[in-house]
Amino acid sequence: IHLHAPAKGGRRIALSLQPLLSPAVCDRVVELCEASAAKAGGWSTLRHTSVPTTDMEVRGVGEVLTLFNECCASSLFPFLEATYAESRLKVSASRLRVWDAFVVRYDAAAQRSLPTHQDDSHLSLTIALNETGEYDGGGTSFEDLGGEGFVRPEKGCVVAFPGELRHGGRAVTRGVRYIIAVFLWVAEESP
């Protein structure tokens, strides 16, 4: 169950209308990452140089990695296959490879937004980890959808798109927004 928005060149932006990550798992990921950040003295802002984010690697928190891997197998990869199997990428779940996955923390009092950019990936996606009522603003904007074109998914829902699409993180003006950002490649052959 998903919605497709056409973008230039036949590319598509997909939004899951139902959560692909349960609310309980979303809450647990945020809880674990905040606890890990507290132990480490805060969230990192050093991992990405061209478009820096306040984030934490999924693989850096053991239980978060386990939850993420379970989600990839049970819902994320099947969603991407259903969405992009007929695209030029010819996506199949068995050929998807996660290149990077990280939890991002947008805060109205700190990093509020992310400038428009392209990702170095075949496909990218974000998973909303908290309720839209916990913050104002936020969401992902896409140049191909026009100046005011953006998506602001509900908790547990996913926005997926070709990494080459220019997009950015809209400013959070109140509260904190958490997402998991994922960069994926489509392998030439199945394992």
Side-chain angles (χ1 to χ4, degrees):
I1 301 172
H2 48 277
L3 174 70
H4 298 279
K8 294 176 184 170
R11 300 169 299 189
R12 67 172 57 153
I13 300 161
L15 170 65
S16 68
L17 299 179
Q18 299 295 322
L20 299 185
L21 201 59
S22 75
V25 170
C26 292
D27 292 343
R28 184 68 178 147
V29 168
V30 170
E31 175 188 348
L32 289 165
C33 288
E34 284 291 357
S36 181
K39 283 186 204 172
W43 289 73
S44 173
T45 57
L46 304 175
R47 288 187 346 96
H48 300 104
T49 55
S50 60
V51 187
T53 55
T54 301
D55 67 30
M56 179 174 301
E57 285 184 289
V58 163
R59 68 181 179 178
V61 183
E63 187 179 338
V64 172
L65 177 61
T66 299
L67 293 167
F68 176 74
N69 284 338
E70 289 169 359
C71 180
C72 284
S74 67
S75 58
L76 281 178
F77 285 8
F79 170 76
L80 293 171
E81 181 174 356
T83 303
Y84 295 104
E86 300 301 319
S87 74
R88 65 179 173 77
L89 294 172
K90 300 188 180 355
V91 172
S92 69
S94 65
R95 293 177 47 229
L96 287 168
R97 305 290 182 269
V98 174
W99 174 66
D100 196 7
F102 49 102
V103 177
V104 180
R105 186 181 196 272
Y106 292 104
D107 187 332
Q111 181 180 5
R112 301 165 35 120
S113 63
L114 199 61
T116 301
H117 63 282
Q118 290 176 285
D119 295 334
D120 185 19
S121 63
H122 287 147
L123 292 172
S124 296
L125 64 86
T126 63
I127 307 168
L129 293 177
N130 58 330
E131 300 288 348
T132 56
E134 295 177 28
Y135 58 91
D136 291 333
T140 305
S141 61
F142 292 92
E143 280 187 355
D144 282 7
L145 296 181
E148 295 301 314
F150 69 94
V151 291
R152 193 169 178 252
E154 296 296 328
K155 183 177 186 173
C157 291
V158 172
V159 178
F161 51 94
E164 66 194 358
L165 284 182
R166 291 186 51 77
H167 63 283
R170 293 180 67 235
V172 170
T173 58
R174 178 195 60 85
V176 177
R177 174 184 181 227
Y178 296 93
I179 63 168
I180 298 177
V182 184
F183 302 150
L184 301 114
W185 292 99
V186 180
E188 293 295 318
E189 298 178 13
S190 297

